[in-house]
Amino acid sequence: MPQPSAFSRRRFLQLSALSSGVILAGQNTTADIRELGPWASPYGKRSRHETAVRDATGIVMQESETPQQALSGTITPSALHYERHHAGIPDINPDTHQLLIHGMVERPLTFSMADLYRMPQTCRTYFLECAGNGEHSFEVGEKTSPQKLCGLFSQSEWCGVALGSLLRETGLKPRASWLLAEGADACLLTRSIPVEQALDNVIVAYAQNGEAVRPAQGYPLRLIVPGCEGNMNVKWLRRIEVSDQPFMTREETSKYSDPLRNGTVRQFSFVMDAKSIITRPTYPMQLEKGWHEIRGVAWSGRGKVKSVEVSDDGGKSWHSADIQPPILNKSSVRFGLLWNWDGTERILTSRATDDTGYVQPSVKELIAIRGKQSLRYHNNTMISWRVQPDGLVTYLRTD
Amino acid sequence: MKAPVTVLLMCLSVQLIAQPRDMAPLDVGKPASQDLIHRWNTAIQPDGRGLPPGQGCVSEGKRLYAKQCAACHGEEGKGGVYDVLVGRLPEGSFPFATEAGHKKTIGNYWPWPTTLFDYIRRAMPFLTPGTLSDAQTYSLCAYLLHLNDLLPENACLDADKLPKIVMPAQHRFVPDNRLQTSSVR
């Protein structure tokens, strides 16, 4: 019997019928006829029934938000990782890409991708959060989803070379105290980072969730600064210049700085403080009475999440939620708490505490200290949801 | 018979396998060419390090701005689709934390004048970044600082003069102080 040239169903049925001695022709043996699906493919796709997508916004679509309410676990699929671009996504050939390290170093060097692959690989799971995540919390209405409130937050496993290893190759001059990281996008985006911080687990990453970093995330190289605001995690990294002072780039002065009530501006507020959000049940879910798991994500840029509490009465009483391992440094956790809805109006809120003892503040607390307009950046306040008696869940502003 | 082999392997591993903690440089990476460093070394520091030779004046900046910037940032730096560039606040007033509706501008918020040169040459005009010459960039800085009442109409800027301009909000900028406490900041 010759091998069939194509795996068509008809041909397969004929072959199986012949070999088992059963004659199918003209017979309706069963109502449960099954069709074979497509076979293996070079690069996978999700089910055509899955529709969760990023939500691109801005005048030139400069950002897109992760659909938090559709996700499970703590790894954001790379295709749904949030985006914030300042000059679009460059198309970079990894074969010619190079990383230049110069300035106050002993030996100015360039590294090709091949050079970087030779060096020890560091892999860590870290979250990325735009400093502007939650920027519109006090403007939007009740029909607002977690994606709109907290979409500029994602998490990946990043692999690459420790920046410290590269700085060991170049050496540092004694006065070196800050460095500038520069991207290869059209606006050559730059940020200053203290050398001390650069040596603290910063990764020059070439991989994200097991494959090459996505173009929208900085292909072929992205700086990963654990726990720090997204903008510092410079994408399309091409240059590091070492100096003895911060460069005072536009992104760390005009933007991403926090004006405070006392008339000062807090600058270099790198670390993203502890935050959590319930992702289910949230708008636009319609609840039925009975048991539901309240679940969500929590994280802290200062360290590990120690606990997450959930309230269903607007913060009068708090209940400890279960946290799913692993609990990693500067990495998000999933929390969950089983809850029986009795059909009355409830206010659901979560709050995270990290291992430094820092507790996620309420909106009123943080506004009292910083001022409401200051919360356009670095807004890590609690987020509340109203479960209406008719079962619809809506966002509840608490400013 | 086993012991000598192990010893031999250990000797070899001393040379072939480095322990990260006491590692000398691996000699990976190539010496950077002076040409590449020269081409990419464009960042300006707040003390003026990195500023190129040349100069530019308010009058030329005004002409350039009308042609290349006004469409997006508005006539005289206000009322455009994108970031407002011009505007001052009364002495002592700094309402950005508490009052809605105030736009941060070069004149009322930017702490360093050097940032202006660095950012404009690096990133503007938005759709054609990299097209401005050093002299044109000095002119645009001069014009925008003039519109913000920080330079007279006949002023010109160069590497010496630009860093000396004291921006009105500079004294307000303080480094992050949140992490010394676990309480809310």
Side-chain angles (χ1 to χ4, degrees):
Chain A
M1 177 111 258
Q3 282 293 106
S5 58
F7 283 103
S8 84
R9 180 165 174 265
R10 178 182 295 267
R11 183 92 175 113
F12 209 89
L13 285 174
Q14 280 170 2
L15 286 172
S16 2
L18 284 172
S19 58
S20 62
V22 178
I23 296 157
L24 283 176
Q27 278 186 26
N28 192 1
T29 51
T30 166
D32 184 22
I33 299 174
R34 278 148 280 148
E35 287 211 19
L36 277 66
W39 302 94
S41 67
Y43 199 81
K45 282 195 286 203
R46 65 179 173 178
S47 162
R48 66 190 173 91
H49 305 290
E50 288 303 309
T51 53
V53 287
R54 290 187 293 220
D55 201 347
T57 58
I59 302 181
V60 289
M61 296 295 171
Q62 65 269 37
E63 54 191 60
S64 74
E65 297 152 331
T66 295
Q68 309 296 0
Q69 63 278 7
L71 303 186
S72 298
T74 58
I75 297 293
T76 309
S78 302
L80 294 176
H81 194 291
Y82 84 84
E83 299 165 272
R84 171 70 172 101
H85 308 306
H86 289 264
I89 304 166
D91 178 15
I92 297 176
N93 180 348
D95 297 338
T96 52
H97 188 72
Q98 48 186 342
L99 172 62
L100 167 67
I101 304 184
H102 70 116
M104 291 187 174
V105 298
E106 303 293 346
R107 297 169 292 278
L109 296 175
T110 56
F111 296 90
S112 66
M113 295 303 292
D115 291 335
L116 298 177
Y117 292 135
R118 283 172 57 188
M119 301 186 70
Q121 189 179 69
T122 299
C123 295
R124 294 284 189 282
T125 299
Y126 291 126
F127 73 81
L128 283 184
E129 182 182 16
C130 178
N133 191 30
E135 179 180 12
H136 304 295
S137 301
F138 312 133
E139 294 156 15
V140 291
E142 57 177 20
K143 294 186 173 170
T144 303
S145 66
Q147 180 166 23
K148 279 280 148 213
L149 285 168
C150 194
L152 301 179
F153 171 86
S154 302
Q155 177 156 291
S156 303
E157 183 196 45
W158 302 99
C159 293
V161 179
L163 179 53
S165 301
L166 299 179
L167 294 176
R168 185 178 51 226
E169 295 302 309
T170 62
L172 286 173
K173 292 257 165 78
R175 274 171 52 226
S177 60
W178 285 78
L179 55 81
L180 182 82
E182 181 181 84
D185 48 347
C187 66
L188 303 177
L189 186 136
T190 45
R191 280 299 300 257
S192 307
I193 301 169
V195 163
E196 204 181 311
Q197 182 124 31
L199 297 174
D200 183 17
N201 293 309
V202 169
I203 303 175
V204 175
Y206 46 69
Q208 174 187 11
N209 299 332
E211 59 182 353
V213 169
R214 290 278 164 125
Q217 296 306 324
Y219 183 87
L221 275 187
R222 170 174 213 172
L223 201 64
I224 296 292
V225 189
C228 292
E229 59 187 9
N231 186 260
M232 295 171 75
N233 297 254
V234 174
K235 298 184 278 188
W236 314 292
L237 183 70
R238 76 165 197 183
R239 187 171 78 94
I240 288 174
E241 179 178 355
V242 181
S243 185
D244 56 1
Q245 59 181 348
F247 286 68
M248 302 296 177
T249 75
R250 180 257 193 173
E251 304 295 337
E252 62 209 21
T253 53
S254 161
K255 306 291 173 190
Y256 302 114
S257 55
D258 308 312
L260 304 180
R261 263 184 196 285
N262 65 7
T264 64
V265 180
R266 181 189 287 151
Q267 197 188 8
F268 304 126
S269 33
F270 299 146
V271 172
M272 300 306 290
D273 267 324
K275 187 169 178 177
S276 67
I277 180 173
I278 293 171
T279 56
R280 180 194 167 93
T282 54
Y283 180 79
M285 250 189 94
Q286 185 75 42
L287 273 197
E288 36 186 306
K289 272 191 217 170
W291 290 100
H292 295 267
E293 187 185 45
I294 297 172
R295 54 177 171 258
V297 270
W299 62 93
S300 168
R302 295 204 207 187
K304 290 180 183 170
V305 172
K306 195 172 79 187
S307 63
V308 180
E309 296 158 290
V310 170
S311 169
D312 76 344
D313 55 10
K316 288 190 203 74
S317 62
W318 292 94
H319 310 271
S320 188
D322 292 326
I323 296 180
Q324 307 232 27
I327 302 170
L328 303 171
N329 210 20
K330 302 169 185 180
S331 172
S332 74
V333 295
R334 269 279 151 192
F335 65 86
L337 183 64
L338 208 48
W339 170 72
N340 197 350
W341 184 48
D342 60 5
T344 62
E345 174 167 301
R346 312 304 302 166
I347 308 297
L348 305 180
T349 314
S350 64
R351 76 174 178 205
T353 301
D354 69 19
D355 63 358
T356 69
Y358 175 91
V359 184
Q360 181 183 3
S362 71
V363 169
K364 291 215 161 68
E365 273 176 296
L366 201 58
I367 287 179
I369 290 164
R370 282 180 45 195
K372 187 161 157 186
Q373 296 305 316
S374 167
L375 300 194
R376 302 191 76 83
Y377 291 130
H378 306 105
N379 175 2
N380 66 322
T381 54
M382 296 180 209
I383 297 170
S384 294
W385 304 93
R386 185 206 306 269
V387 182
Q388 301 179 359
D390 65 1
L392 180 67
V393 186
T394 56
Y395 167 58
L396 179 68
R397 270 176 56 180
T398 55
D399 54 297
Chain B
M1 270 316 286
K2 256 185 170 175
V5 177
T6 317
V7 171
L8 181 67
L9 282 176
M10 279 171 65
C11 294
L12 271 177
S13 71
V14 168
Q15 288 172 26
L16 297 181
I17 301 173
Q19 291 304 311
R21 48 184 181 281
D22 44 53
M23 233 150 76
L26 301 173
D27 254 347
V28 179
K30 286 158 207 65
S33 76
Q34 277 312 310
D35 174 57
L36 181 73
I37 295 177
H38 180 73
R39 272 189 290 127
W40 284 9
N41 189 13
T42 61
I44 315 297
Q45 302 188 40
D47 57 7
R49 260 183 273 171
L51 280 170
Q55 69 152 16
C57 307
V58 173
S59 51
E60 171 65 3
K62 181 176 181 168
R63 207 184 54 77
L64 275 169
Y65 182 90
K67 247 171 78 182
Q68 300 217 43
C69 322
C72 289
H73 291 290
E75 220 179 296
E76 310 213 314
K78 293 178 191 168
V81 193
Y82 294 109
D83 304 40
V84 180
L85 305 178
V86 174
R88 289 289 297 273
L89 286 162
E91 183 77 27
S93 157
F94 202 71
F96 297 109
T98 48
E99 289 172 24
H102 294 281
K103 294 285 182 199
K104 296 169 187 160
T105 69
I106 296 164
N108 68 28
Y109 197 82
W110 286 44
W112 299 95
T114 45
T115 309
L116 199 52
F117 188 99
D118 180 273
Y119 184 72
I120 292 174
R121 190 174 64 170
R122 184 176 292 284
M124 291 293 138
F126 190 59
L127 298 176
T128 49
T131 54
L132 293 172
S133 71
D134 295 342
Q136 286 175 324
T137 309
Y138 278 122
S139 312
L140 285 162
C141 291
Y143 179 58
L144 287 171
L145 291 167
H146 165 66
L147 289 177
N148 279 291
D149 297 331
L150 293 165
L151 277 183
E153 199 170 357
N154 59 0
C156 297
L157 285 178
D158 58 20
D160 186 46
K161 294 201 188 90
L162 176 67
K164 295 204 175 99
I165 296 166
V166 179
M167 303 299 280
Q170 188 189 309
H171 66 284
R172 299 180 180 276
F173 278 67
V174 293
D176 188 11
N177 53 3
R178 284 172 303 160
L179 301 189
Q180 291 136 17
T181 166
S182 66
S183 63
V184 173
R185 304 269 332 185

